[in-house]
Amino acid sequence: MLIYLRVLKESFFFALNALRNNKLRTFLSLLGVTIGIFSIIAVLAAVDSLEREVKGSLSALDNSTVIVMKYSFGATDIPQWKREQFPNVSYDEYQHLTRSVPDVEASTFAQGVPDESIKFKDITSTGVSVIAITSGYYDIEEFEIAEGRFFNESESASGAPVIVMGYEIANNLFENTNPLGKQVRMYGRRLTVIGVLEKQGSGLFGDSRDGQVMVPVNLTRRIFGDNNQNIFAQIVLKPEDGVDNDEFLAVVEQQLRNYRGLKPDEVNTFFVNQVQGFADTIDVITGQLNVIGLIISGFSLLVGGFGIANIMFVSVKERTNLIGIQKSLGAKNRFILSQFLFEAIILSVIGGLIGLFFVWVVSLIASQFTGDFEFVLSPTNILIGTVVSAVIGLISGIIPAVSASRLDPVEAIRTGM
């Protein structure tokens, strides 16, 4: 064991010597490994960061939460032209499911209404994202109220002219003034501010609550109606803990089929989606992105492997005399083999570490330009980069190392003179 530690130490110094004495040649040879590791780990880090951001946005919802709407989270056999003809889920259907489906812990009906302008005195915020929901939304998705409160069931049912604002909207309109109790104009109506959400910060897709407002859905129903093609509606149901998911989904589907009067041979004109299904779809997509990135990056690593092999062949030629002397003094073939293999691995790992350093620098720079979205170089990806670079060095150094170990000591000494 000690002899291999000594070989590793010598190989490390030989690798450093190669870097020091042949800077340009070594740099060009290691460039392929550096680019390859940079490409692979950059792809893995970007996909991991994206996956964490998307799943983080879903973390406010329980994975068992069910979303009923005219669109599907995943792939479906129903053609798009037919799906476009499906009716929106309605408020009456929401009430029916709430009454008829057992084991529902919380539920809400939501409308995706167009962005709107909000005005307070002479200050106007334009392009504000409006979430029209029932009071049950507060029990389904996790969010914090910084000031005031959320609208209650009575205000929700009556469509009261009240509004809960995101931090950014409230700050733009009221600055240092307390917004609670103030009236703003939206949809040509006066709405009373009853709450302000906790500051959340912006995400990669600009989906932060800071730039949104929430109003009772029955308020927007009076304005837009239930049959407006520009309005997107959904029913959200959160089952109680311990409920069998498959059974719950089946009950929801059957109850809505019965309400719509669908015959047994007719397909559903709606989709019963589960948040877990969307998370699984994200896993599939990110997995495919990783595979594509690894294939593309593999070509860079192939070039890097040839570069390492080139360094090692040159190193064998330059040290032919030394190899002959070592073998004449009793050095075994495996000693020579290990020496050059270790050197190849060390050189490759150095190139890989440089690539990892560049990924870290790029991740820091990218995070500065993407708001609260953070590119993270995880320990797992660092380990992957190091192992992959070591494997590339091992594979690339095998042939040069074997050729060095098989040199005849007499011929090696004579050739090196």
Side-chain angles (χ1 to χ4, degrees), residues 33-346:
V33 174
T34 299
I35 294 175
I37 295 299
F38 173 83
S39 302
I40 287 179
I41 303 306
V43 169
L44 293 177
V47 173
D48 286 350
S49 300
L50 178 62
E51 182 179 11
R52 186 175 57 256
E53 173 76 8
V54 173
K55 289 188 174 181
S57 65
L58 293 176
S59 62
L61 292 173
D62 189 280
N63 281 346
S64 62
T65 301
V66 174
I67 302 176
V68 185
M69 54 184 176
K70 64 183 291 185
Y71 301 109
S72 173
F73 279 176
T76 175
D77 295 332
I78 302 176
Q80 182 175 354
W81 66 267
K82 193 168 186 178
R83 298 198 304 269
E84 293 294 337
Q85 295 178 350
F86 289 173
N88 261 322
V89 292
S90 68
Y91 186 79
D92 291 337
E93 290 172 335
Y94 153 72
Q95 292 183 310
H96 171 72
L97 291 178
T98 302
R99 290 191 302 265
S100 60
V101 176
D103 304 319
V104 175
E105 180 181 328
S107 63
T108 188
F109 179 75
Q111 278 187 335
V113 295
D115 293 349
E116 185 63 26
S117 296
I118 303 178
K119 185 175 182 180
F120 175 70
K121 295 183 178 178
D122 296 329
I123 305 173
T124 302
S125 286
T126 59
V128 177
S129 176
V130 181
I131 303 176
I133 44 179
T134 59
S135 59
Y137 186 77
Y138 187 72
D139 299 318
I140 290 179
E141 184 167 353
E142 297 177 1
F143 57 89
E144 298 293 330
I145 302 290
E147 299 179 76
R149 61 179 177 84
F150 198 68
F151 43 84
N152 56 39
E153 186 175 351
S154 175
E155 291 167 329
S156 174
S158 64
V162 293
I163 185 170
V164 176
M165 293 186 163
Y167 175 85
E168 183 181 333
I169 301 301
N171 190 55
N172 289 344
L173 291 177
F174 301 100
E175 297 181 346
N176 298 323
T177 306
N178 184 356
L180 299 183
K182 300 293 192 303
Q183 289 191 332
V184 297
R185 291 194 66 84
M186 188 173 77
Y187 299 131
R189 291 169 165 78
R190 293 186 178 275
L191 307 182
T192 302
V193 180
I194 61 171
V196 177
L197 301 179
E198 192 79 45
K199 184 178 181 180
Q200 186 182 54
S202 61
L204 178 65
F205 305 106
D207 53 354
S208 170
R209 294 279 184 225
D210 295 345
Q212 299 175 341
V213 297
M214 301 179 183
V215 296
V217 72
N218 282 338
L219 174 65
T220 58
R221 287 180 65 223
R222 285 201 298 267
I223 298 170
F224 296 102
D226 289 322
N227 300 314
N228 192 317
Q229 295 300 314
N230 297 320
I231 301 299
F232 167 70
Q234 56 184 350
I235 299 169
V236 184
L237 305 170
K238 181 181 179 181
E240 295 177 350
D241 291 338
V243 172
D244 183 272
N245 282 338
D246 292 336
E247 182 178 343
F248 186 81
L249 293 172
V251 171
V252 172
E253 178 181 336
Q254 190 57 52
Q255 287 294 335
L256 192 49
R257 283 183 63 87
N258 292 341
Y259 190 86
R260 291 193 172 185
L262 296 176
K263 298 178 181 178
D265 59 340
E266 291 180 318
V267 299
N268 291 340
T269 55
F270 57 89
F271 290 97
V272 181
N273 304 287
Q274 199 164 35
V275 172
Q276 180 60 54
F278 186 64
D280 292 341
T281 301
I282 295 298
D283 288 336
V284 172
I285 294 173
T286 54
Q288 292 173 344
L289 290 175
N290 278 330
V291 170
I292 294 172
L294 290 175
I295 292 174
I296 296 174
S297 303
F299 290 104
S300 297
L301 280 178
L302 183 63
V303 174
F306 286 130
I308 297 295
N310 176 63
I311 291 180
M312 296 315 301
F313 275 121
V314 173
S315 182
V316 170
K317 186 175 181 180
E318 290 177 343
R319 287 152 50 191
T320 300
N321 181 261
L322 179 59
I323 295 169
I325 294 173
Q326 287 178 325
K327 298 193 76 170
S328 66
L329 294 175
K332 302 294 185 182
N333 285 352
R334 65 174 178 272
F335 178 85
I336 305 298
L337 178 70
S338 301
Q339 189 178 50
F340 282 92
L341 275 182
F342 283 149
E343 185 175 342
I345 292 172
I346 291 168

